Amino acid sequence: MWLPPALLLLSLPGCFSIRGPASVRGREQGSLTVQCRYDPKWKNYVKWWCKGAVWSSCQILVKTTESEWEKDRVSIRDNQRSHIFTVTMKELRRDDADTYWCGIERSGVDLAVQVVVIIDPENLLSRTIANSHGGLSSGSNVRTHYILLVFVKVPVLLILVGAILWLKGLRGSPRSNGNSLSKHTCPLT
């Protein structure tokens, strides 16, 4: 889409009417949240979230026709009091990594800000443990603590207890006087 330079200059002040993070990260199978702030004068306008590197041809995933809307794995909620709209993406997949846009629909050229979404692959070990124990939430500190507990803390504790018991066993056993052979004889038949 080509805009004459004068029209482009007229649309520039609106670019600062919406702000969002430059990038956000999420873990595969997890979720992420993006908050986009806007000037109060845009509170009654429709907000949208779209995917694609080129703003003019990006695919709109959700938009606010009410205060909240959810489609598939993406939802959008507009808090008009705080002038923030929030986009949540859940059950993230690797192919969700892309360039996205927070936008405000208006007559003429829409307002938008670019947000790069980065998806970190889920650790295979974490996925196995989470799936076998009720699916702990992705990216949580609970899962990290559980992994450390099962694979580090408990084995170290068992090794220490075993070493202590073994050392106590050595100290508590009666010492021999150097004769390893017994003087007892077995009767021959």
Side-chain angles (χ1 to χ4, degrees), residues 41-171:
K41 66 182 175 183
W42 304 110
K43 84 174 190 178
N44 293 321
Y45 286 73
V46 172
K47 302 353 175 258
W48 48 259
W49 175 253
C50 74
K51 178 180 182 179
V54 180
W55 171 24
S56 60
S57 62
C58 68
Q59 174 192 0
I60 293 181
L61 302 175
V62 288
K63 62 182 180 177
T64 58
T65 49
E66 302 283 327
S67 63
E68 186 171 352
W69 190 33
E70 183 170 349
K71 181 181 176 190
D72 297 326
R73 302 174 296 116
V74 183
S75 66
I76 188 168
R77 184 176 54 87
D78 187 10
N79 185 335
Q80 293 182 346
R81 284 189 181 165
S82 61
H83 312 294
I84 296 173
F85 67 94
T86 304
V87 175
T88 303
M89 297 175 65
K90 53 188 177 180
E91 300 171 23
L92 294 170
R93 300 184 296 234
R94 287 188 190 190
D95 63 348
D96 288 327
D98 205 337
T99 301
Y100 291 80
W101 300 86
C102 284
I104 300 174
E105 190 175 287
R106 67 176 187 161
S107 59
V109 180
D110 288 356
L111 303 174
V113 64
Q114 182 180 15
V115 180
V116 175
V117 172
I118 302 162
I119 306 299
D120 295 323
E122 185 177 27
N123 183 319
L124 181 60
L125 177 62
S126 300
R127 185 179 345 170
T128 303
I129 291 171
N131 288 341
S132 65
H133 295 303
L136 297 172
S137 63
S138 177
S140 71
N141 289 333
V142 172
R143 180 173 48 187
T144 304
H145 177 73
Y146 184 74
I147 290 170
L148 284 174
L149 181 69
V150 170
F151 292 104
V152 178
K153 294 178 181 180
V154 170
V156 168
L157 181 64
L158 289 174
I159 290 169
L160 287 174
V161 168
I164 290 169
L165 291 175
W166 181 73
L167 287 173
K168 277 188 161 190
L170 284 180
R171 287 186 183 173

Side-chain angles (χ1 to χ4, degrees), residues 9-59:
L9 287 176
L10 288 174
S11 68
L12 279 179
C15 293
F16 303 108
S17 296
I18 183 170
R19 296 162 303 284
S23 65
V24 291
R25 293 187 94 91
R27 184 168 300 279
E28 188 179 7
Q29 297 301 318
S31 63
L32 64 81
T33 302
V34 179
Q35 290 190 326
C36 297
R37 298 183 179 280
Y38 56 88
D39 287 346
K41 66 182 175 183
W42 304 110
K43 84 174 190 178
N44 293 321
Y45 286 73
V46 172
K47 302 353 175 258
W48 48 259
W49 175 253
C50 74
K51 178 180 182 179
V54 180
W55 171 24
S56 60
S57 62
C58 68
Q59 174 192 0

